[in-house]
Amino acid sequence: MQCPFDIKPRWERRKDARPQELLAAALDLFVERGFASTRLEDVAKRAGVSKGTLYLYFTNKEELFKAVVRENIVPAIGEAEDAIAGFEGHSAELLRIVVYTWWDRLGATKASGIVKLVMAEANNFPDLAQFYREEVIVRASTMIGSMLARAVARGEFRPVDIPVTTQLLISPMLMLMMWKHSVGPCEQSALDPHTFLEAFIGMALNGLCAAPPVPAGGPAPIPGA
Amino acid sequence: MQCPFDIKPRWERRKDARPQELLAAALDLFVERGFASTRLEDVAKRAGVSKGTLYLYFTNKEELFKAVVRENIVPAIGEAEDAIAGFEGHSAELLRIVVYTWWDRLGATKASGIVKLVMAEANNFPDLAQFYREEVIVRASTMIGSMLARAVARGEFRPVDIPVTTQLLISPMLMLMMWKHSVGPCEQSALDPHTFLEAFIGMALNGLCAAPPVPAGGPAPIPGA
Amino acid sequence: MQCPFDIKPRWERRKDARPQELLAAALDLFVERGFASTRLEDVAKRAGVSKGTLYLYFTNKEELFKAVVRENIVPAIGEAEDAIAGFEGHSAELLRIVVYTWWDRLGATKASGIVKLVMAEANNFPDLAQFYREEVIVRASTMIGSMLARAVARGEFRPVDIPVTTQLLISPMLMLMMWKHSVGPCEQSALDPHTFLEAFIGMALNGLCAAPPVPAGGPAPIPGA
Amino acid sequence: MQCPFDIKPRWERRKDARPQELLAAALDLFVERGFASTRLEDVAKRAGVSKGTLYLYFTNKEELFKAVVRENIVPAIGEAEDAIAGFEGHSAELLRIVVYTWWDRLGATKASGIVKLVMAEANNFPDLAQFYREEVIVRASTMIGSMLARAVARGEFRPVDIPVTTQLLISPMLMLMMWKHSVGPCEQSALDPHTFLEAFIGMALNGLCAAPPVPAGGPAPIPGA
DNA sequence: GATGAATGAGGTTTCATTCAT
DNA sequence: GATGAATGAAACCTCATTCAT
């Protein structure tokens, strides 16, 4: 991402890195405390700068929040899109890959906290919601939809209502992220993510894979594997 | 509803109604603006009283919020428990009943906004989260779990990992509520809840029903069967 | 104090007793919590009436406070005046009597809390201070002064500057009351009132009694100098 | 006092001075109106800053008050301790020095209002009382006690019960401070402090100085009895 | 560019006082 | 006379934002 010839003295690189450091600090604190409870002074302190400096890079708290969303969620969408575009194998395997890629890249990371936070704060920031819809939801849905379309076209999944099935597939993944960051923690009966995802994939493939219906049994009977 | 002999001065009747009026106003505003952004003065104003009056009935903002949860969420759980307890028919039909009862009673009402709100704010109010876990999550999970256990015991569902499947079933319902109150609104391609729920029930039963699959025509028309 | 022929039915006596009951409740709470922290609702509750009733008898919080002062401090002054007026014996004994009467009647009772409270709040209520000066301070000083004058006239005390000596005598008694109600409690090394008063009387008489007169001179006759 | 080379921008010099300016303003207002009735906004205004600025230097109202005590009372204790520690002469002279030092340093200044305030408000702010006991009362009592012990050890004072005598000596000084700030002002017959202190010292030395010892006996040697 | 002192609007909570019943 | 529901002013404290240096 960084041109190797663009060498700068360390202190100047430092300057260029400021926004990144601020975004990283903001990510941590927003996830940890929520939007309202995060104080910009703490963000600045964690990034090692003063409060005033933050305002050199971000107009206000709301813009900082939006930048954190852009920085942490949007790229992951692009990666997933690329993964799907280049995949050649059976769609059941693709589904599994998409789910686990998503988990590794978003679900298991701090970015999941941002997803939760957007859900929580979308009402308070209409244009953030707008941005999020366009840059994240639409693209993610399109991506899942295209995966489903490919599978149906190749005869690997039954013909399904693609928009609805898309939502249905997204639900448990969203749920897992929400859970982690709201009432989930502190609960004794916390879900084991891996078990949950396996059950989810199993049930999804059971419902999606073409005839003959998958014989009951294990969580993920992948025919093409 | 009111015994004709139990005449009270208008003023005293007001008193009895006050908590309800305040709770209704609070429900509206919490759903509309979130917890932190809702000002108690506005709640009072909407209920037609002054700020101070609110404190005659609720100790503080957090207690008001808990009362809203108790008023709007908890009873629905109880009703669903009763519905399950008294049901005699096939578990596939029971699942359908539970889902639609939930939808009519919570999902389609303003109470869904409270569910979303709890998810959003749980981190900031630990004892609210605690309260919600005990009063709502545990009871709802237990309820779904007992429905699954009954189905498996009667040989109507395949044997499944009950805790995990419970979460899996809850996910799309939760999703639908979250959606409505965060990024969902304003979206042109909004999900039609009914279509979504039908697809959800279909996929769930497809994955759950014991072999041989339920004969079509009933609650789960499985094309490939 | 109550004419024996003024018999009333119990409920009516109750009515007449209201102000007394309110004053007693107010005394307790003012002493316990101070002026600002005492809520009129609590005063009413302790007197067994409603908040509104209190306002039938006292114009406002300030007037209630003044009434408490009048009720609890002023009468004690009168009693002490009478005690002095009728005394025939040696002035040293009279001093002792005055001190212990004061202690039994005020110092050891809740009224001492009012004395402390007046000191604390006098600034906030100028006309209360005025009232207290006239009704309590002037009368108490006059009383002590007349006791000193009598003692000097009878040759039992040395001739002294009466106003100054009056203050000097009052100081330790005042101190004892203040102490009880401010930083004194909770202290491990709490003063034993009796020991303190004995030491006080001892030192006072030592300084006041006529024979043998302290060698006159300057204000500070330092023997070793 | 300021090194001429330690030039700072005016703005930064302000910063260093702020706490002192705020403490001075707080001292004035606390003494004038008491703790509860002093609004922090007024303190800030008198110091020429805004409400928020005050919170940059003091965590809350109570800490501000403690700082006022620390600034105005505690140092005086230290000075008196030093004065006693280094004194070589006769204890009678030392007593006089301590009394007048106390008067110049505390009694005659606004700090006396703080002493009165603590007595008045201690009940409502338990940890403030705790702080005052430890930082002021214990140290002051210890100081007076050590003065007495020295005097007795050198044979300059009669052997006395040190804790009790300490209290007895403190009483009139405390009284003088209380008086100034409660019912004392506005009184036509206000005490002249100098006259009062002289009488106090005279009586104290009369009671304390060794020779000739008062004929022992009871606490109240009543000649005529 | 960077700093951090200063600002002041804003929200929760308390409680003396009023007044319809 | 008695009640107690209702009022609303007041005060503390927070923190996003500004700006002089």
Side-chain angles (χ1 to χ4, degrees):
Chain A
M1 263 198 176
Q2 191 81 14
C3 168
F5 297 102
D6 186 15
I7 305 284
K8 294 178 179 179
R10 193 177 298 113
W11 66 265
E12 200 168 342
R13 276 209 305 277
R14 189 70 205 276
K15 198 176 67 181
D16 289 354
R18 280 281 147 76
Q20 294 303 319
E21 291 164 358
L22 284 164
L23 286 172
L27 170 63
D28 286 356
L29 290 172
F30 279 143
V31 168
E32 191 175 318
R33 305 185 195 169
F35 181 81
S37 301
T38 293
R39 288 180 304 145
L40 290 191
E41 180 154 24
D42 290 342
V43 173
K45 199 176 297 171
R46 182 178 289 224
V49 300
S50 77
K51 208 174 5 170
T53 302
L54 201 154
Y55 280 87
L56 296 175
Y57 296 100
F58 303 96
T59 310
N60 54 31
K61 197 181 186 181
E62 188 172 335
E63 288 304 320
L64 174 64
F65 181 52
K66 291 179 189 170
V68 168
V69 175
R70 279 192 202 93
E71 178 78 9
N72 289 281
I73 309 293
V74 176
I77 305 283
E79 292 176 28
E81 284 171 342
D82 294 346
I84 293 180
F87 187 75
E88 304 271 335
H90 191 280
S91 293
E93 198 191 332
L94 179 56
L95 174 66
R96 173 178 290 272
I97 286 172
V98 166
V99 168
Y100 275 106
T101 301
W102 161 84
W103 174 249
D104 291 341
R105 191 64 179 71
L106 288 186
T109 73
K110 267 179 295 198
S112 61
I114 294 299
V115 173
K116 179 253 171 179
L117 205 46
V118 172
M119 298 245 139
E121 303 287 350
N123 269 27
N124 297 106
F125 308 115
D127 54 329
L128 172 64
Q130 179 62 17
F131 163 79
Y132 190 77
R133 257 181 246 118
E134 289 166 4
E135 295 297 316
V136 178
I137 297 179
V138 170
R139 285 178 66 186
S141 299
T142 303
M143 180 183 74
I144 302 287
S146 71
M147 181 186 72
L148 286 173
R150 169 195 189 273
V152 172
R154 292 168 54 126
E156 291 163 351
F157 282 3
R158 293 188 297 109
V160 290
D161 179 331
I162 289 189
V164 169
T165 308
T166 297
Q167 294 286 339
L168 222 37
L169 289 181
I170 288 176
S171 295
M173 297 197 279
L174 220 46
M175 164 97 163
L176 209 48
M177 291 193 290
M178 300 289 313
W179 213 246
K180 268 180 60 176
H181 295 282
S182 56
V183 293
C186 312
E187 200 177 9
Q188 57 279 42
S189 68
L191 248 310
D192 170 53
H194 193 264
T195 309
F196 182 76
L197 287 176
E198 278 305 320
F200 161 49
I201 293 171
M203 175 167 284
L205 292 179
N206 190 28
L208 290 172
C209 282
V214 179
I222 303 176
Chain B
M1 261 195 178
Q2 190 81 12
C3 167
F5 296 103
D6 184 15
I7 304 287
K8 295 179 178 179
R10 189 181 307 112
W11 165 67
E12 198 163 342
R13 278 208 302 277
R14 276 320 281 281
K15 188 213 158 180
D16 290 351
R18 275 288 139 71
Q20 294 303 321
E21 293 165 4
L22 285 164
L23 286 172
L27 172 61
D28 285 356
L29 288 172
F30 279 145
V31 169
E32 191 174 317
R33 305 186 196 169
F35 183 81
S37 302
T38 293
R39 291 182 306 142
L40 290 190
E41 182 155 22
D42 290 343
V43 173
K45 202 173 294 171
R46 181 174 290 221
V49 299
S50 79
K51 210 175 5 170
T53 301
L54 203 153
Y55 282 87
L56 296 177
Y57 298 99
F58 303 98
T59 310
N60 55 32
K61 198 178 185 180
E62 199 163 332
E63 286 304 318
L64 174 63
F65 186 69
K66 285 187 192 172
V68 169
V69 173
R70 255 184 281 257
E71 179 78 8
N72 292 280
I73 311 290
V74 175
I77 307 279
E79 291 177 27
E81 287 171 341
D82 294 345
I84 293 181
F87 188 75
E88 304 271 336
H90 191 281
S91 293
E93 199 191 333
L94 179 55
L95 173 66
R96 173 177 291 271
I97 286 173
V98 166
V99 169
Y100 275 105
T101 300
W102 162 84
W103 174 248
D104 291 340
R105 194 66 179 68
L106 287 187
T109 74
K110 266 180 295 197
S112 60
I114 294 298
V115 174
K116 177 250 169 181
L117 197 49
V118 171
M119 298 246 138
E121 306 280 359
N123 266 28
N124 298 105
F125 304 98
D127 49 327
L128 172 62
Q130 179 63 18
F131 164 77
Y132 189 78
R133 256 182 245 116
E134 289 166 5
E135 294 296 318
V136 178
I137 296 180
V138 168
R139 287 181 63 188
S141 299
T142 305
M143 177 184 76
I144 302 288
S146 72
M147 181 185 72
L148 287 173
R150 169 194 190 271
V152 171
R154 292 165 55 121
E156 291 164 351
F157 284 3
R158 296 188 294 111
V160 291
D161 179 330
I162 288 187
V164 169
T165 309
T166 297
Q167 294 285 340
L168 223 38
L169 288 180
I170 286 176
S171 296
M173 299 197 276
L174 221 45
M175 163 98 163
L176 210 48
M177 292 194 288
M178 303 285 315
W179 212 247
K180 268 180 61 177
H181 295 282
S182 55
V183 293
C186 312
E187 201 176 8
Q188 55 278 46
S189 68
L191 248 312
D192 171 53
H194 193 262
T195 309
F196 181 77
L197 288 176
E198 277 305 319
F200 160 51
I201 293 172
M203 175 166 284
L205 291 179
N206 188 29
L208 291 172
C209 282
V214 178
I222 303 175
Chain C
M1 262 200 178
Q2 191 81 13
C3 168
F5 298 102
D6 185 15
I7 305 285
K8 294 179 181 179
R10 195 177 297 109
W11 65 265
E12 200 168 343
R13 276 212 304 278
R14 189 73 204 275
K15 200 177 68 180
D16 289 353
R18 278 284 146 75
Q20 294 303 320
E21 291 164 359
L22 284 163
L23 286 171
L27 171 63
D28 285 357
L29 289 172
F30 279 143
V31 168
E32 192 176 317
R33 306 184 195 169
F35 181 80
S37 301
T38 293
R39 288 181 303 145
L40 290 192
E41 180 155 24
D42 290 342
V43 173
K45 198 175 297 171
R46 180 175 290 224
V49 299
S50 77
K51 209 173 6 170
T53 302
L54 201 154
Y55 280 87
L56 296 175
Y57 296 100
F58 303 97
T59 309
N60 54 31
K61 197 181 186 180
E62 190 169 336
E63 288 304 320
L64 174 63
F65 181 53
K66 291 180 189 170
V68 169
V69 174
R70 277 193 206 93
E71 178 77 11
N72 289 280
I73 308 294
V74 176
I77 304 283
E79 292 176 29
E81 286 170 341
D82 295 344
I84 293 180
F87 186 76
E88 304 272 333
H90 191 281
S91 294
E93 199 190 335
L94 178 56
L95 174 67
R96 173 178 290 271
I97 287 172
V98 167
V99 168
Y100 276 106
T101 301
W102 162 84
W103 175 248
D104 291 341
R105 191 64 179 70
L106 288 187
T109 75
K110 269 181 293 198
S112 61
I114 295 298
V115 173
K116 179 251 173 182
L117 205 46
V118 171
M119 298 244 139
E121 304 286 350
N123 269 28
N124 298 107
F125 308 114
D127 54 329
L128 171 63
Q130 179 62 21
F131 163 80
Y132 189 78
R133 257 180 246 117
E134 290 166 5
E135 294 297 316
V136 179
I137 296 179
V138 169
R139 285 178 64 188
S141 298
T142 304
M143 179 184 73
I144 302 287
S146 71
M147 179 185 73
L148 287 174
R150 169 193 190 274
V152 172
R154 291 166 56 123
E156 291 162 352
F157 283 3
R158 293 187 298 111
V160 291
D161 178 331
I162 289 188
V164 169
T165 309
T166 298
Q167 294 286 340
L168 223 37
L169 289 181
I170 288 175
S171 296
M173 298 197 277
L174 219 46
M175 164 100 165
L176 208 49
M177 292 194 289
M178 301 289 313
W179 212 247
K180 266 182 61 177
H181 295 281
S182 56
V183 294
C186 312
E187 202 176 9
Q188 56 278 43
S189 67
L191 247 311
D192 171 53
H194 193 264
T195 309
F196 182 77
L197 288 176
E198 278 304 320
F200 161 51
I201 294 171
M203 176 167 284
L205 291 179
N206 188 30
L208 291 170
C209 282
V214 176
I222 303 174
Chain D
M1 261 194 177
Q2 191 80 12
C3 165
F5 297 103
D6 184 15
I7 305 287
K8 294 178 179 180
R10 190 178 308 111
W11 167 66
E12 198 163 343
R13 278 208 301 276
R14 275 322 278 283
K15 190 212 156 180
D16 290 351
R18 276 286 137 75
Q20 294 304 322
E21 294 165 3
L22 286 163
L23 285 172
L27 172 62
D28 285 357
L29 289 173
F30 279 144
V31 169
E32 192 175 317
R33 304 186 195 169
F35 183 79
S37 303
T38 294
R39 291 182 307 145
L40 290 190
E41 182 154 21
D42 290 343
V43 173
K45 203 173 293 170
R46 181 175 290 220
V49 299
S50 78
K51 206 176 9 171
T53 300
L54 202 155
Y55 283 89
L56 295 177
Y57 298 98
F58 304 97
T59 309
N60 54 33
K61 198 179 184 179
E62 202 161 329
E63 286 303 319
L64 174 63
F65 187 72
K66 284 187 193 172
V68 169
V69 173
R70 253 185 281 257
E71 179 78 9
N72 292 281
I73 311 289
V74 175
I77 307 278
E79 291 176 28
E81 286 171 341
D82 295 345
I84 293 179
F87 187 78
E88 305 269 335
H90 191 280
S91 294
E93 198 190 334
L94 179 55
L95 173 66
R96 171 178 291 272
I97 287 173
V98 166
V99 169
Y100 275 105
T101 301
W102 162 84
W103 173 250
D104 292 341
R105 196 63 181 67
L106 288 187
T109 73
K110 266 180 294 198
S112 60
I114 294 299
V115 174
K116 177 251 173 181
L117 196 48
V118 171
M119 298 246 137
E121 307 275 2
N123 266 28
N124 297 105
F125 304 96
D127 47 325
L128 176 61
Q130 179 63 18
F131 164 78
Y132 190 78
R133 256 181 247 115
E134 290 166 5
E135 296 294 318
V136 178
I137 296 179
V138 169
R139 286 181 62 189
S141 299
T142 305
M143 177 184 77
I144 302 288
S146 70
M147 181 184 71
L148 287 173
R150 169 195 190 272
V152 171
R154 292 166 57 123
E156 292 163 350
F157 284 2
R158 292 189 296 111
V160 291
D161 179 330
I162 288 187
V164 169
T165 308
T166 297
Q167 295 284 340
L168 222 38
L169 288 181
I170 287 176
S171 296
M173 299 198 276
L174 222 44
M175 163 97 164
L176 211 47
M177 293 194 287
M178 300 286 314
W179 212 248
K180 266 180 62 177
H181 295 281
S182 55
V183 293
C186 312
E187 200 176 11
Q188 55 279 46
S189 68
L191 248 310
D192 171 54
H194 193 265
T195 309
F196 181 77
L197 289 176
E198 277 305 320
F200 161 50
I201 294 172
M203 174 165 289
L205 292 180
N206 189 27
L208 291 171
C209 282
V214 177
I222 302 176

